[in-house]
Amino acid sequence: MGHKIYAYLDERIRISSLMGFLLNEPMPGGSRWAYIPGSMVFFVLILQFITGMMLAFYYGGTPDHAWDSVNYIDHLTYNGVGVGRLIRGIHYWGSSIMVIAVGIHLLQVFLWGAYKRPREIMWLVGVVLLGLTMTASFSGYLLPWDERAYWGTIVGTNMIGLVPFVGEAIKDAIRGGVGLGALTLSHFFTLHTMILPTLFILFVMLHMVIFRRVGPAGPFSGSPEKLEATKDTFYPRQVLMDAFGMLGIFIFILALAILHPPGLESVANPSNAAYNPTPAWYFDWIFELLKLIRPEIVGVVGLPVLIAVVLIFLPFIDKKPVRSPFRRPFAVLSTLFVLTAMLVLSLMAENGYKKLVDVDRAAMLRGQTVFNTAGCMGCHTLFGKGGKIGPDLSEEGLVGHSVHWLTVQFVNSKAHFPDSIMPDFTYLTPQQQHDLAMYISSLGRMNWPDPTKTP
Ligand code: HEC
């Protein structure tokens, strides 16, 4: 039966020569584990396509529905299994892993000298794919429309606004207005689900077509005779190694999705100016670096331009044919320098971020004292203790009230609840009101130290 189908297809679509072309690609120097990063990136991209389509089935791309639909996805179960959250988890972690895998792939091509003649164009296509990956992770960030998404995108688009002359216009065009709204969400959704996937398909195909035209670069050392002698074809050994790599990365992403499902903060609240957005951890180093460069615009505009220029012109400037990293000390040292700088900056960001929280923490702790002395616990429960007359405040920070709203609540509860029995705490100074609001808005929020414990 099988061979009949094969013969049928072979006669009509020449399947055997196609398979031969795909699988018998010669690998100078033989197949090896060192070649798997590229196919791992490809696999994660396919995974993002599939899970992204699944999410799009349930996603509502308007400010009224986006958050609710994501929340719905998070609670979607099939036979008691939280499949919705699992699929979102895979997509969420897939994006982080893809950024990292692309980074590793790029680093390897750089160290192996595989971008050198005749692979300059293939490198350039790879740089475009890197840009697409970054744009995909930036545009996907907004879609859940929670506080983190909203404020993260405010910061990101504000940076674009710093570009001289055209920045403001580009920023407004991306946002579809002065602030973030329905148009912004449509823009990001279209970019994320239509424009980027199309470009991805085009450029990945181009990347692979060129790859098949010029062939794999092969190991960086060894005489042509030796490489010829140890030659191998893509199938079966390299296919198997690639498949193992893909399986490994899939299990890794799956484990992350199960053990650390992505969170969903409270729905985006444009008046919650107290919100402190933080970038994804793998971008920490960029933000830390940007903080060090003054004036701001030099970093925000100069840094991406510098990175782009270096990546684009690298194969045309570095034209020496020598590929081995052992004979290219400058390449190796500059890689080490960049990696160390990234690590140090990330650690600095970690400390800086903690310090930032400490600043808030000071206000928060003063607010805690106000809370404990003003008798709020007579009516409100906090982490299981206190009165039942008013609502439990243990997760009040997740409700997303602004500092202003909270301040009004303390001094004039009737403005919010006409028949309120909550007393007006007008004797509190503005500073005390603010501190109290900082404390209340920290309750139940992730990333904040446990507010019930004093340091
Ligand atoms: C006499 C009881 C009472 C006391 C004391 C009291 N509250 Fe309230 N509080 C309430 C009630 C009841 C509500 C619910 C709204 C209403 O119907 O008035 C409320 C509502 C709130 C809310 C809004 C909850 C929400 O999201 O809807 C906050 C925040 C709050 N109180 C904070 C405080 C703080 C801080 C203090 C201490 C300075 C305090 N309350 C003292 C009874 C009290």
Side-chain angles (χ1 to χ4, degrees):
M1 185 63 192
H3 68 271
K4 272 197 180 155
I5 296 175
Y6 191 84
Y8 181 92
L9 290 179
D10 198 26
E11 192 187 335
R12 283 154 189 87
I13 61 171
R14 300 244 161 262
I15 196 165
S16 60
S17 76
L18 182 68
M19 294 304 271
F21 170 72
L22 289 179
L23 300 176
N24 295 335
E25 162 82 356
M27 317 273 301
S31 26
R32 49 189 71 205
W33 289 107
Y35 293 161
I36 66 174
S39 56
M40 283 161 91
V41 173
F42 181 67
F43 172 76
V44 180
L45 181 67
I46 302 293
L47 198 63
Q48 293 304 86
F49 270 78
I50 296 171
T51 50
M53 285 180 217
M54 290 166 128
L55 292 172
F57 262 75
Y58 287 88
Y59 180 73
T62 66
D64 286 355
H65 298 107
W67 189 91
D68 286 296
S69 64
V70 175
N71 190 39
Y72 179 79
I73 290 171
D74 270 351
H75 294 91
L76 205 70
T77 56
Y78 181 75
N79 284 342
V81 181
V83 280
R85 170 166 277 203
L86 184 69
I87 298 296
R88 181 155 99 89
I90 295 176
H91 198 74
Y92 173 89
W93 282 110
S95 83
S96 301
I97 299 299
M98 181 149 160
V99 172
I100 296 167
V102 167
I104 293 174
H105 183 46
L106 181 133
L107 199 65
Q108 193 194 15
V109 171
F110 176 67
L111 286 177
W112 262 233
Y115 56 92
K116 299 194 172 198
R117 187 176 170 195
R119 295 182 183 76
E120 300 97 321
I121 312 283
M122 190 173 163
W123 166 268
L124 281 187
V125 174
V127 173
V128 172
L129 285 168
L130 173 72
L132 292 180
T133 307
M134 295 301 176
T135 317
S137 94
F138 176 65
S139 56
Y141 206 75
L142 179 68
L143 302 184
W145 201 250
D146 63 355
E147 292 279 70
R148 185 217 301 269
Y150 184 91
W151 294 103
T153 306
I154 291 270
V155 173
T157 45
N158 274 345
M159 287 181 156
I160 300 172
L162 286 175
V163 176
F165 310 118
V166 288
E168 279 297 320
I170 297 177
K171 182 179 93 176
D172 289 352
I174 291 175
R175 288 185 176 180
V178 177
L180 300 194
L183 268 180
T184 324
L185 205 47
S186 302
H187 287 177
F188 277 54
F189 186 61
T190 311
L191 183 66
H192 194 76
T193 61
M194 292 177 216
I195 300 175
L196 287 174
T198 312
L199 293 177
F200 261 119
I201 293 173
L202 276 174
F203 281 92
V204 167
M205 273 169 56
L206 198 59
H207 203 55
M208 296 213 183
V209 167
I210 299 176
F211 178 59
R212 292 307 301 266
R213 308 292 302 172
V214 295
F220 47 73
S221 55
S223 63
E225 299 77 45
K226 194 178 157 232
L227 293 185
E228 187 61 29
T230 47
K231 199 167 83 176
D232 190 2
T233 50
F234 181 57
Y235 180 84
R237 287 190 58 225
Q238 191 63 50
V239 170
L240 211 64
M241 288 176 181
D242 284 353
F244 264 114
M246 292 176 184
L247 184 69
I249 206 162
F250 180 65
I251 292 174
F252 186 54
I253 293 174
L254 199 64
L256 285 170
I258 293 171
L259 300 175
H260 298 281
L264 183 64
E265 295 192 2
S266 52
V267 61
N269 172 11
S271 59
N272 181 15
Y275 191 85
N276 226 325
T278 48
W281 62 268
Y282 47 83
F283 285 145
D284 271 357
W285 64 276
I286 301 183
F287 280 77
E288 198 57 31
L289 189 59
L290 291 180
K291 265 196 264 165
L292 296 178
I293 304 174
R294 283 292 171 272
E296 201 179 17
I297 176 167
V298 174
V300 170
V301 182
L303 192 65
V305 170
L306 182 74
I307 296 177
V309 165
V310 168
L311 289 178
I312 292 172
F313 289 100
L314 175 72
F316 306 103
I317 294 168
D318 174 22
K319 284 162 83 163
K320 282 202 216 98
V322 48
R323 283 185 44 215
S324 168
F326 300 109
R327 288 164 57 207
R328 288 161 56 228
F330 181 71
V332 176
L333 286 179
S334 49
T335 306
L336 282 179
F337 173 75
V338 170
L339 288 181
T340 317
M342 279 165 79
L343 184 72
V344 170
L345 286 167
S346 300
L347 292 175
M348 278 167 67
E350 181 81 357
N351 285 329
Y353 172 59
K354 289 218 177 92
K355 276 206 208 90
L356 203 68
V357 173
D358 275 342
V359 175
D360 292 349
R361 206 180 145 104
M364 212 173 80
L365 289 171
R366 287 196 303 270
Q368 185 182 34
T369 315
V370 177
F371 186 85
N372 291 339
T373 49
C376 313
M377 297 279 273
C379 295
H380 292 285
T381 301
L382 200 57
F383 304 108
K385 282 189 258 149
K388 299 264 180 285
I389 300 164
D392 187 331
L393 295 181
S394 307
E395 297 203 326
E396 186 66 15
L398 295 176
V399 180
H401 291 313
S402 65
V403 169
H404 174 72
W405 191 97
L406 288 169
T407 316
V408 171
Q409 176 65 30
F410 307 148
V411 295
N412 181 15
S413 179
K414 287 182 191 62
H416 298 145
F417 309 96
D419 314 313
S420 183
I421 52 158
M422 175 161 151
D424 294 344
F425 294 86
T426 39
Y427 67 85
L428 297 175
T429 64
Q431 179 69 52
Q432 284 174 320
Q433 294 168 18
H434 174 264
D435 294 346
L436 187 58
M438 293 304 284
Y439 174 62
I440 298 290
S441 59
S442 77
L443 297 172
R445 284 260 283 265
M446 296 186 314
N447 296 337
W448 289 64
D450 182 349
T452 57
K453 291 202 187 88
T454 32

